[in-house]
Amino acid sequence: MKHKQPELDVDFIKGGRPLTKDDEIAISSYIRAYKEKHSRKPSATKRTIKTTRRKVVA
């Protein structure tokens, strides 16, 4: 499959220094929040109420 954009040959995206513990925590929390927000599955706390139509007899 052909890529739309050419891939860049880089080792570090952020810069030349390694990530600090605070950086790792910030990235992890961002990814976790993003996954929760964009998840297709309904969360366990949400409840759906199913309603049924009743036949009206005249």
Side-chain angles (χ1 to χ4, degrees):
M1 183 178 263
K2 197 171 191 180
H3 295 286
K4 291 182 181 180
Q5 295 178 352
E7 292 185 19
L8 301 176
D9 186 23
V10 294
D11 292 333
F12 294 101
I13 294 173
K14 188 170 182 203
R17 67 176 178 82
L19 295 176
T20 63
K21 195 66 174 176
D22 292 333
D23 293 338
E24 291 177 8
I25 292 170
I27 292 170
S28 296
S29 63
Y30 173 79
I31 292 171
R32 191 175 306 117
Y34 182 86
K35 284 182 179 181
E36 287 176 6
K37 183 177 180 182
H38 293 89
S39 174
R40 291 185 182 219
K41 297 178 184 176
S43 66
T45 59
K46 289 184 180 178
R47 298 179 73 186
T48 58
I49 299 171
K50 205 179 235 186
T51 59
T52 58
R53 288 187 168 176
R54 295 184 184 186
K55 290 184 180 180
V56 178
V57 179

